[in-house]
Amino acid sequence: MGVGEDFVALLGTKGGPAIRTGSPMPTSSLLSLGGQRVVVDAGLGVTRGLCDQGMALKDIATVFITHLHSDHYLELGPLLHTAWTAGLKTPVRVWGPSGLATYFEGFFLSMKEDIDTRIEDEGRPDLRDLISCHVIRAGEAITEGAITVEAMPSIHPPLTESWSLSFRGAGRRVVFSGDTAHNPALVEFARGADLLIHEVMLAEGLEALQRRIGNGDDRLMKHWLRAHTLASDAAAVAREAGVGALALHHLIPSDDPAFGVEDWHRACAPQWTGPLHVGRDGLRIDLPPKG
């Protein structure tokens, strides 16, 4: 990847933590603005997804985690440990909910023998000294290099620390909804963005998905309906916000052969007629030329 590239790569596009034969991987993305790269969420598969995009893991410097559901951070520790074994020796700043500090305490404890051995036997710097955790707070601008980040609480009960994120840099702006129920406040938050990346559900696929999962009860369906957004509502947010393009991410369902790209287009069509990207693992969305 060369300096000056402006794009988003959707590394894993599945809503929810379970994977099955042939299914996409859970949520993670790579944002590049002016050649500066940021990892957004770190679900299972993020490490391979970054490598497939041509990113050297040792160059990871900034990670944002939108919330602490496993499909968004299960591979965070393993990603950074693998980057360390691949030559990482510079600091990594991880932004997200306050619980990330506890997560890393547990991860470092679980890997203590390996980390200590590699420091002694291979002369590596201490991974535990390279990673720092920082808490996202509403209304506080975050500056990472040439990128400015703003956060707005998303609606994702029962979690209270769950974020929508706006990234501005190189004359571009990209907004991630994060996991959220339909949130009218996103209209103003995403106003005029070049790209809105919004989680989505397909209403007609939910009952079949619940049956396929098989080990939950009606609380799972209630969670989806109170904590996630139907595709038509995401499309309406994009239209009202006047964004340049809409990308569908964190698809629910994502691996049901009864539903395909045309169903997502059909669900969005009454509200959105602009550029539409239906998420799939490895999809790279190049931001349009400026001006």
Side-chain angles (χ1 to χ4, degrees), residues 24-47:
M25 298 301 284
T27 308
S28 60
S29 304
L30 172 64
L31 170 67
S32 177
L33 294 176
Q36 183 178 338
R37 295 169 292 248
V38 176
V39 178
V40 182
D41 284 327
L44 193 64
V46 62
T47 308

Side-chain angles (χ1 to χ4, degrees), residues 84-86 114-125:
W84 178 62
T85 65
D114 178 270
I115 293 171
D116 289 345
T117 297
R118 293 185 188 280
I119 293 170
E120 177 65 26
D121 193 48
E122 300 171 8
R124 300 180 186 271

